[in-house]
Amino acid sequence: MSVTKEDVYYVANLARLQLSDEEAEGLRKDMNKILGYIETLNELDTTDVEPLDHVTEITATSFRKDVAKEPLSHEDALRNAPDADSDYFRVPKVIE
């Protein structure tokens, strides 16, 4: 299977994206490389391979102990804020 420029524009339209011809051509090449890699993987015999739910084994020892600590003081929380008054973080207005 090969991805055409029309396929790229179709998917871009579904995602509500507008692409230039150069961007569409680049994405077409990238998508074809991905499909080529998947075809290579499909050639492998995986009949005796157990399905994975994670690529690496997750163990409880990989997490820190859940120990209660002293909370951060109000002054310490505001100390590294880019902009703050005595009680609050100041952030740029985002609603007109």
Side-chain angles (χ1 to χ4, degrees):
M1 177 181 180
S2 180
V3 176
T4 64
K5 221 176 200 181
E6 289 76 29
D7 295 329
V8 172
Y9 283 123
Y10 176 75
V11 172
N13 183 48
L14 291 175
R16 305 282 191 244
L17 298 174
Q18 292 181 344
L19 302 175
S20 68
D21 285 338
E22 296 82 25
E23 291 170 324
E25 181 60 26
L27 286 172
R28 186 192 66 77
K29 289 177 183 178
D30 290 345
M31 292 170 104
N32 280 321
K33 284 181 187 177
I34 292 168
L35 290 176
Y37 183 69
I38 290 171
E39 288 175 9
T40 302
L41 291 176
N42 284 334
E43 295 173 3
L44 296 173
D45 180 21
T46 58
T47 53
D48 295 329
V49 177
E50 286 289 320
L52 297 175
D53 54 0
H54 287 83
V55 176
T56 59
E57 186 175 336
I58 296 178
T59 61
T61 59
S62 62
F63 300 109
R64 66 173 172 80
K65 298 282 185 206
D66 189 15
V67 178
K69 293 183 179 180
E70 195 65 32
L72 193 61
S73 72
H74 191 77
E75 294 79 24
D76 287 340
L78 292 174
R79 185 174 294 132
N80 289 323
D83 190 13
D85 64 15
S86 62
D87 293 321
Y88 303 103
F89 292 99
R90 288 189 182 164
V91 295
K93 183 178 179 180
V94 293
I95 298 174
E96 298 288 330

